[in-house]
Each structure stands twice: as C-alpha cells, then as structure tokens.
Amino acid sequence: MALGLIGGLGVSVLVLAFRSTPSEPPIAVMLIILAVVTASATLQVAGGLDYLVQLTEKLLRAHPKYVTILAPLSTFFLTVCCGTGHAVYALLPVISDVALKTKIRPERPMAISSVASQMGITASPVAAAVTFFLGFAAKAGHPVTLIDIISVTMPAGVIGVLAAAAWSFNRGKDLDKDPEFQARLEDPEFRKGLDSEVTTLGMKISTTAKVSVALFFTGVGSIILMASCPWILPLTAGGKPIAMTTVVQFIMLAFGAFIMFSANVKAKEIAHSSVFTAGMIAVVSIFGIAWMSDTFITANKKFLVDNIGVMVKMAPWTFAIATFCISAFVKSQAATLAITLPLGLALGLPIPLLLGLMPASYAYFFFAFYPSDLAAINMDRTGTTRIGKYLLNHSFMIPGLIGVSVSTVIAYAISQVLL
C-alpha cells in the first residue's frame, strides 16, 4: 500500500515541481489484476483452495521420503494454478509435519518450498506479474501472447526449483545428529509440540468446492485457448481480434460469476478473503509505482539512454541484476516489473529479452522478511528453518539464489530460441 501512495506522491512531485508530463496510468493492467484476483478470491471462498491443498497433502504423505523434491514442486504449481503465492500458507504446516514424521530435517523442504511458491508467480497465467507483462508488451507495440510468456517462464521455473531442491536434499545435519535440536528435546514442552499432528485430510471437501476448481481451470484454459486460436474471437472495427488484455478481464469475471452461482458463495465474503486483500494491495502498488516510474522514464529517456544504454546493450544480462536488486526492496514481482520494464524498453531492450530476464524479478527472499518466509520459520516446529545471527545467513538465501539464477539463465536461453 505504501508503494502505491508514495508512487502517487512521486507523480505529483515530478509534474508540479519538475514540470514533467504525466504518463497514462496502467489502467488495463490494473483491470486485468482486478478481474483475476476477484475470480481467485471467489475460488478461495468456495473452498477450492482447500481442495487443492488437500490433494497436495495426499501426494506428499504418499511419498514422504521425497518431500524435499515434491513439496517445492507442489507449492510452485499451487501458485501457478491460483496466481498468488499466498496459497502456500495452508501447505507449509503439512510440509513440516511430513518431514518431521519421516525424520527429515524440515529446513530442507520448508525453505525451498517458500521460495518455490514465489517463483511460480512468473509462470502463472493468472498472476499479476504475468498479466502486467502481457499488458505492457501490448501497450509498447511489441505484443506477446500468454502462450509465449508461459512457454518461457514455466520450464525455466521448474528447472530452477529442481536445481534448488537438489541442493537442499542434504543441507544441514539430520535431526538425530543436530546438537541444537537434541538440546531442545530436553525441554518437555518442546517435545510435546513435536507430537502434535497437522493435516487437512480430515477436512470434508464439498462437491461445490470441487466444481469451483474445475470452473476456475476451465476459465484459465479458455484464456489459453483463445490466445492460441485468435480466430475464435470477434473482430474489432479495425479488423483485428479483440486484444487478449480485454479477453482475460471478461473471461475471469465470467468464470468468477459461475463459481459464485454454483457454490452459492456470499459476495460479501469475497471482499474479505485473504486472496482478495493481497490482490487489491497489488493493484494499489502497481497504480502508484508504475505510473511514477513511467512518468520519470518518459521525461528522462534521452539522458538514461545516453548514459546507461551502451552498457546494457553490451551486456544485457546486467539488467537482470538491476531487476533483482529492485525486487529485494520492492517485495512484489509485479511492482518490480512495473519499475524495470519501462526502463528496459527506453534503453532499447527487446521484449523477448525482457521476458527472458523476468524470473529475476523475484528477490524478496534476500532479507527473509516476506510473509511466506516468516510463515515457514514459524511453522517449522523443530526450529531448523530460521534467520541466522548475521541476518543474511538465513535458510532461504542459497535456495533462493540457486533457484532464481538457474531459472533466469534458462528463461533467457529459451526466449532467444523461441521468440
């Protein structure tokens, strides 16, 4: 919320104090996010997210020895399906419990699972970051399809998660050899806390919840189908198919309505759901920060191109470092892209290259203050997932660096071949 408000303040200063011409606010992108978030929030209220979490728990408990691999893949694809990393909170206690019952150090799957849940954002067709890129590319006159984006970010994200999970497989000492954990076991209250069981398997999932999941995925599938077969769409006055940025809006709202009717969801509850709250924060953030950055870059385009353009053109990968550094402080991939994409375009970087560097927009694991990281720390009853004495030596640092680095390299390579 602060980013949105400060962004609006920045526009005011640029226009009134420095006499810059304000750019157009990212209305289309905001409407896409609003539509997708509303549909996702309706799915949550209908019980669809609970159903997805329960299915994931069944998978993890069926193969507990592979929890360090399966858990991050599960959180990655849960985010891909829902469009938000906040869906991971319900799964983290289950991952910790499965690891503990299997005598696997919970830090191993917990840390990479939190990281993977955020890496899935750039591979989700309904995530704010992806829809922002889709809208930005169309506005910039270099449109890419939803299929183009996912075909680059999906395999890159999966490979990045697997690389980080492979490193995590043997990290730290086993619990029976960890002196800190063994010392904690001497506390009766600590031992009692370990005996409790966390599960969603006893939760009764209604038929309407299952139907809501089917409807939501049908909506996502419809968008992908129309992106792949634009001849399905009616033509505009100019003889071109309706823009996909518009299609995403009305399709997601329509399927949100289908879910609401089929599951008898109370509209009031949608506005109070955690998914809707997180999504509205993203809308406000992008509204202010994207408007400010676009206004600033447009007003100073010549200066930026003259002073930075040569370096970036000689070594385009350096733009990924800049994106990564901004994300570490912005704490939002969509907001990070709202800042960096206009700059990249002003520097003459092509859209395919910017797409290839998209995974670098996730760096807010760096300081381990993001809610999913804090949740992982709190939900690991053994205390192995933690922030270290020196702040940066926390459980998420190396899995995050490996995951983001590998996925960025892979995405860059794929974008150069496919686009």
Side-chain angles (χ1 to χ4, degrees):
M1 293 296 292
L3 284 174
L5 296 172
I6 294 171
L9 174 61
V11 174
S12 301
V13 171
L14 288 169
V15 173
L16 300 178
F18 293 96
R19 318 308 292 176
S20 300
T21 302
S23 63
E24 290 295 322
I27 300 298
V29 173
M30 292 163 60
L31 291 177
I32 292 174
I33 297 171
L34 182 61
V36 170
V37 165
T38 303
S40 299
T42 308
L43 174 70
Q44 181 186 27
V45 176
L49 289 187
D50 293 333
Y51 179 50
L52 291 174
V53 169
Q54 191 178 85
L55 291 176
T56 304
E57 181 178 355
K58 289 180 180 179
L59 172 66
L60 295 179
R61 294 197 184 277
H63 306 282
K65 291 184 179 180
Y66 303 103
V67 66
T68 307
I69 298 292
L70 293 178
L73 286 176
S74 298
T75 60
F76 177 87
F77 283 108
L78 187 61
T79 297
V80 168
C81 293
C82 303
T84 172
H86 294 288
V88 75
Y89 301 136
L91 200 53
L92 287 174
V94 174
I95 295 171
S96 176
D97 192 64
V98 171
L100 184 59
K101 295 293 190 295
T102 319
K103 302 187 185 311
I104 292 173
R105 184 182 179 90
E107 179 187 32
R108 295 170 183 171
M110 290 289 278
I112 178 55
S113 293
S114 177
V115 169
S117 70
Q118 303 306 316
M119 290 177 62
I121 288 175
T122 54
S124 171
V126 290
V130 173
T131 53
F132 178 84
F133 194 100
L134 186 69
F136 174 83
K139 182 181 177 182
H142 303 280
V144 293
T145 66
L146 201 57
I147 300 297
D148 292 332
I149 298 175
I150 302 305
S151 64
V152 171
T153 56
M154 177 70 78
V158 171
I159 294 172
V161 168
L162 288 175
W167 179 87
S168 302
F169 213 78
N170 294 305
R171 74 175 304 186
K173 297 179 180 179
D174 292 333
L175 292 180
D176 59 347
K177 299 176 183 178
D178 187 337
E180 293 185 22
F181 176 74
Q182 293 301 316
R184 292 195 194 100
L185 283 178
E186 298 178 4
D187 183 354
E189 290 296 323
F190 180 78
R191 288 201 308 272
K192 183 178 179 181
L194 296 181
D195 292 335
S196 61
E197 186 172 1
V198 179
T199 181
T200 64
L201 297 182
M203 182 186 300
K204 185 177 180 180
I205 303 296
S206 65
T207 302
T208 55
K210 298 176 182 179
V211 171
S212 70
V213 172
L215 286 171
F216 186 83
F217 288 149
T218 301
V220 175
S222 299
I223 292 172
I224 294 174
L225 175 64
M226 293 177 190
S228 305
C229 309
W231 49 266
I232 297 176
L233 298 169
L235 302 179
T236 63
K240 295 182 179 179
I242 296 174
M244 280 306 300
T245 51
T246 303
V247 172
V248 172
Q249 294 172 41
F250 65 71
I251 290 295
M252 291 312 297
L253 286 175
F255 277 90
F258 293 153
I259 293 171
M260 181 176 65
F261 295 141
S262 65
N264 196 25
V265 170
K266 293 182 180 179
K268 183 179 179 180
E269 294 179 2
I270 299 173
H272 292 93
S273 67
S274 60
V275 170
F276 188 81
T277 300
M280 290 308 98
I281 291 173
V283 170
V284 175
S285 172
I286 288 174
F287 183 18
I289 205 71
W291 196 7
M292 181 187 71
S293 62
D294 195 24
T295 299
F296 175 79
I297 290 168
T298 301
N300 299 279
K301 184 175 181 179
K302 185 178 186 304
F303 175 84
L304 293 170
V305 171
D306 291 345
N307 289 274
I308 307 175
V310 175
M311 180 191 73
V312 173
K313 287 180 179 179
M314 289 180 61
W317 57 269
T318 58
F319 195 75
I321 297 176
T323 302
F324 183 89
C325 292
I326 291 172
S327 177
F329 294 96
V330 172
K331 306 289 186 183
S332 165
Q333 294 176 63
T336 299
L337 293 174
I339 296 171
T340 59
L341 290 181
L343 177 59
L345 194 66
L347 295 174
L349 297 180
I351 291 295
L353 173 62
L354 294 175
L355 174 57
L357 302 181
M358 194 174 174
S361 63
Y362 168 49
Y364 39 86
F365 66 85
F366 196 83
F367 295 109
F369 291 153
Y370 197 71
S372 62
D373 297 334
L374 297 177
I377 292 171
N378 292 325
M379 292 174 183
D380 179 359
R381 304 195 301 275
T382 65
T384 57
T385 307
R386 57 190 174 182
I387 296 176
K389 179 180 178 182
Y390 302 104
L391 187 64
L392 294 182
N393 59 328
H394 51 72
S395 299
F396 313 94
M397 181 63 82
I398 297 181
L401 290 174
I402 293 174
V404 171
S405 299
V406 170
S407 60
T408 302
V409 170
I410 297 297
Y412 176 81
I414 294 175
S415 67
Q416 298 305 298
V417 173
L418 293 184
L419 303 178

